Amino acid sequence: MRTPTLAVLAAVLVTASPPSAVRGQSRGPHQALAREVFEELIEINTTNSAGDNTKAAEAMAARLKAAGFPDSDVRVLGPAERKGNLVARLRGTGARRPILLLAHLDVVEARKEDWSVDPFTFLEKDGYYYGRGTSDDKAMAAIWIANLLRYKQEGFKPDRDLIVALTADEEGGDFNGVQWLVANHRELIDAEYALNEGGGGSIKEGKYIANRVQASEKVYQDFTLEVKNPGGHSSLPVKDNAIYRLAAGLARLAAFDFPVKLNDVTRALFDRMAPTQPGPLGEAMRAILKSPRPPGAVEIVARVPYLNAMMRTTCVATMLDGGHALNALPQRARANVNCRMLPGDTTDAVRVTLVGVLADEAITVTPVAPAKPSSPSPLNPEVMRPIERITEQMWPGVPVTPVMGTGATDGLYLRRAGIPTYGVDGIFENIDDTRAHGKDERIGIKPFYDGQEFLYRLVKELASP
């Protein structure tokens, strides 16, 4: 699940490297294999409604076994018939703990009548590969399999096991593969850290902007706000109106900002982005890292919605419902408020804040479902330095930017289980043409192979003595 950060990130990063800086690889047998695997995955429908995740997992398992991986190191398992997950292991010397290489096989729904091409037919056209899941997340799944086969063919002996997990129901459904594996087969995926989706590169007007590493995620939490009232006949209105009271509370919420709280990830984000921004915004981004913060700095940074979301918990009304008849005073008014909480903020604390901001005891505030918080992953130099080094080799001058995801990925389940997770793939995308979850989803052909090469080098360096 890619979160909508690309365009807003580019809006505040104004320096960039031209595409000529890319050190792409000519398409050889390893790239041909990746394309073959990619095509096979795209053409297996893995939607929740009618797809079969198990079929895709078994297809990848068959490739690995044919290449000489023992059956004991290639497992397809899951809690339901169509919800199988692949867990495969390339054995190393065991000198260090394993690395987990994660991607999800499931995709969001796609109706053929909504697309100009068949969403489940792999199509190469105009420098792109088309198909549901090309950018989210089957490109990464195909790369993990192709690169694992390449390591095997080359006789690479890592000093730690490499574990590939391709999982179900990241996009929705009742059988999230990572959550199930953590709960039931932790030993199969236990690792020192994991690499996952959630990062990626951004291109703006042909220029390479940044290679992002997602090391943290906000916490999703909905609240139901409700006012109840005896109501009455609309010809005899009274001031105590359920809709008015809820609307007044929401107006107070609209004017409220949660306090600024920076963590290691967001501090690194502002520190690395500030030099790219001339003028007041760059100065303000530097200023918010100081203590005390100079007056006005937060307000300048907060004008950019993405940067505002990096600094604080946010809560926003997303749905309204009220009344029961056109000619009656409302007996009920209800709103959904969607919060994206910073790691470390709790549901109870946010609820208390909302109650105080709404400032009306008639408005009840109830969490919709339990939140799933996860702690930020430390910016481990063992991981970050190779990412920076390889990024500089392949895209000179392009900064590596740690980010906090404003949405959610399966990384949250790993972080909750104590496995630090880093969203990084080296696949660059035009921020003005992001199609994940949408019509005619596609991925650039060159960025796909550049991402394959980036991840090949990165994992090999992370797993070499």
Side-chain angles (χ1 to χ4, degrees), residues 27-43 60 63 121-125 128-130 134 138-139 141-147 149 443 445 448-449 452:
R27 204 181 303 181
H30 303 301
Q31 288 75 30
L33 174 60
R35 185 197 187 284
E36 181 182 307
V37 174
F38 199 13
E39 179 176 8
E40 183 174 22
L41 284 176
I42 294 300
E43 296 194 346
M60 297 302 100
R63 287 182 175 274
T121 296
F122 188 73
L123 174 65
E124 181 174 344
K125 179 184 177 183
Y128 292 90
Y129 291 137
Y130 287 79
T134 46
K138 288 183 175 179
I143 286 171
W144 289 143
I145 295 297
N147 285 353
L149 291 168
I443 188 172
I445 294 174
F448 171 71
Y449 293 117
Q452 180 190 11

Side-chain angles (χ1 to χ4, degrees), residues 247-405:
L250 290 174
R252 289 188 285 272
L253 178 60
F256 173 76
D257 287 316
F258 280 80
V260 171
K261 296 180 184 178
L262 302 182
N263 56 41
D264 288 345
V265 175
T266 51
R267 284 186 175 277
L269 169 70
F270 287 117
D271 181 61
R272 296 192 185 195
M273 288 175 61
T276 71
Q277 273 305 166
L281 180 58
E283 294 172 4
M285 290 168 70
R286 293 183 183 91
I288 64 170
L289 297 174
K290 298 177 181 178
S291 181
R293 298 185 180 99
V298 168
E299 289 74 16
I300 292 172
V301 176
R303 293 171 191 163
V304 181
Y306 175 67
L307 298 182
N308 182 63
M310 290 297 102
M311 295 192 299
R312 51 169 52 108
T313 289
T314 60
C315 291
V316 59
T318 56
M319 296 183 69
L320 278 171
D321 177 45
H324 62 284
L326 295 176
N327 57 354
L329 299 178
Q331 294 179 347
R332 179 186 60 79
R334 179 182 295 166
N336 186 82
V337 168
N338 177 244
C339 297
R340 304 299 176 115
M341 305 185 301
L342 290 175
D345 283 359
T346 66
T347 298
D348 287 345
V350 170
R351 180 189 173 279
V352 168
T353 299
L354 289 175
V355 169
V357 171
L358 295 168
D360 187 340
E361 63 182 14
I363 305 175
T364 62
V365 182
T366 307
V368 172
K372 298 175 181 177
S374 64
S375 300
S377 299
L379 297 176
N380 183 352
E382 178 189 323
V383 179
M384 296 302 296
R385 286 174 183 165
I387 292 173
E388 293 164 352
R389 187 160 48 247
I390 296 168
T391 297
E392 180 62 23
Q393 292 168 1
M394 295 184 66
W395 305 283
V398 172
V400 171
T401 309
V403 296
M404 177 176 64

